[in-house]
Amino acid sequence: QVQLQESGPGLVKPPQTLSLTCTVSGGSISSGPYYWSWIRQPAGKGLEWIGRIYTSGSTNYNPSLKSRVSISLDTSKNQFSLKLDSVTAADTAVYYCARSNNDYGANAHDYWGRGTLVSVSS
Amino acid sequence: QTVVTQEPSFSVSPGGTVTLTCGLSSGSVSTSHYASWYQQTPGQAPRTLIYSTNSRSSGVPDRFSGSILGNKAALTITGAQADDESDYYCILYMGSGISVFGGGTKLTVL
């Protein structure tokens, strides 16, 4: 059974960089037709798609965040990571990592992490 | 920028049928948008119900179904139960690797 677990600082000062890691267990991050995604949700608000990385390493980002976001794979640790630069209070949210199976079309998310709350405050 | 639209709220009686929709501020939703639907209860991660317009995720009861209705993607819940009371989100694939979530629908079962 594949499991995803987010980790990282719960508090980030503006305008520092938010860095989160998603550790994948039960399957290899570098094999299969999978996209590894980051999604966030501010308190009381809706979901926002941040971006994704394919097993090949190719990435796609939300245009509204593209100038500040980077997603990478660390196959040696079976992890993928999110970096968001120049954060403000508006980046305070629960951040989720998820896997989608490209064989079933875009956004066929089959596994999700539980989410981690990141607060941006000085 | 294209906005993905959902009804902010909806209510259904227990045992009733409800259809939630997912549209575009400009244009029509088609199967090429690979609509997916997620259910979320407070404090929990989203749960995938439907992907690629009408494919049910593993373990999802068949009273949840997805379709294209007119120019929108739709999620239909048949025989609504109390524990269907949740927030429902759709996401559409816009091409070039980009996806956009709708604002979500808060479903009340009463």
Side-chain angles (χ1 to χ4, degrees):
Chain A
Q1 180 79 342
V2 174
Q3 292 186 320
L4 286 74
Q5 177 67 58
E6 304 89 349
S7 60
L11 180 64
V12 181
K13 289 180 167 52
Q16 292 180 353
T17 296
L18 179 159
S19 296
L20 293 175
T21 296
C22 182
T23 300
V24 180
S25 58
S28 172
I29 200 170
S30 58
S31 63
Y34 302 124
Y35 278 103
W36 304 94
S37 304
W38 288 98
I39 292 154
R40 70 179 181 179
Q41 185 173 36
K45 297 188 178 180
L47 299 168
E48 180 179 29
W49 184 82
I50 298 172
R52 65 181 188 177
I53 187 165
Y54 196 53
T55 50
S56 65
S58 65
T59 54
N60 302 109
Y61 300 125
N62 184 326
S64 69
L65 299 171
K66 188 173 183 178
S67 64
R68 298 195 292 133
V69 70
S70 173
I71 298 175
S72 59
L73 289 176
D74 186 338
T75 56
S76 66
K77 296 181 180 179
N78 221 39
Q79 297 173 335
F80 65 106
S81 297
L82 169 71
K83 289 189 186 302
L84 184 64
D85 296 329
S86 305
V87 296
T88 69
D91 295 310
T92 294
V94 174
Y95 286 75
Y96 296 100
C97 58
R99 187 187 87 167
S100 65
N101 189 330
N102 198 44
D103 278 354
Y104 301 143
N107 302 314
H109 293 104
D110 49 6
Y111 293 100
W112 291 76
R114 291 188 172 188
T116 187
L117 175 62
V118 179
S119 298
V120 178
S121 175
S122 54
Chain B
Q1 184 177 349
T2 302
V3 175
V4 177
T5 61
Q6 295 185 247
E7 300 86 358
S9 62
F10 229 115
S11 64
V12 62
S13 300
T17 296
V18 63
T19 297
L20 311 181
T21 68
C22 178
L24 290 168
S25 57
S26 175
S28 298
V29 177
S30 71
T31 55
S32 298
H33 288 94
Y34 297 98
S36 292
W37 290 89
Y38 307 98
Q39 178 190 49
Q40 188 183 37
T41 52
Q44 299 296 313
R47 169 198 182 197
T48 304
L49 298 175
I50 301 289
Y51 61 91
S52 293
T53 304
N54 56 12
S55 296
R56 252 187 310 276
S57 193
S58 177
V60 173
D62 60 6
R63 55 199 185 78
F64 290 92
S65 62
S67 64
I68 297 289
L69 283 182
N71 62 350
K72 297 181 180 182
L75 173 71
T76 299
I77 307 172
T78 304
Q81 301 179 359
D83 60 3
D84 294 335
E85 187 161 295
S86 301
D87 294 326
Y88 292 85
Y89 294 92
C90 69
I91 187 171
L92 299 179
Y93 179 67
M94 299 303 192
S96 301
I98 306 302
S99 292
V100 180
F101 277 100
T105 296
K106 184 176 184 61
L107 180 66
T108 302
V109 180
L110 51 74

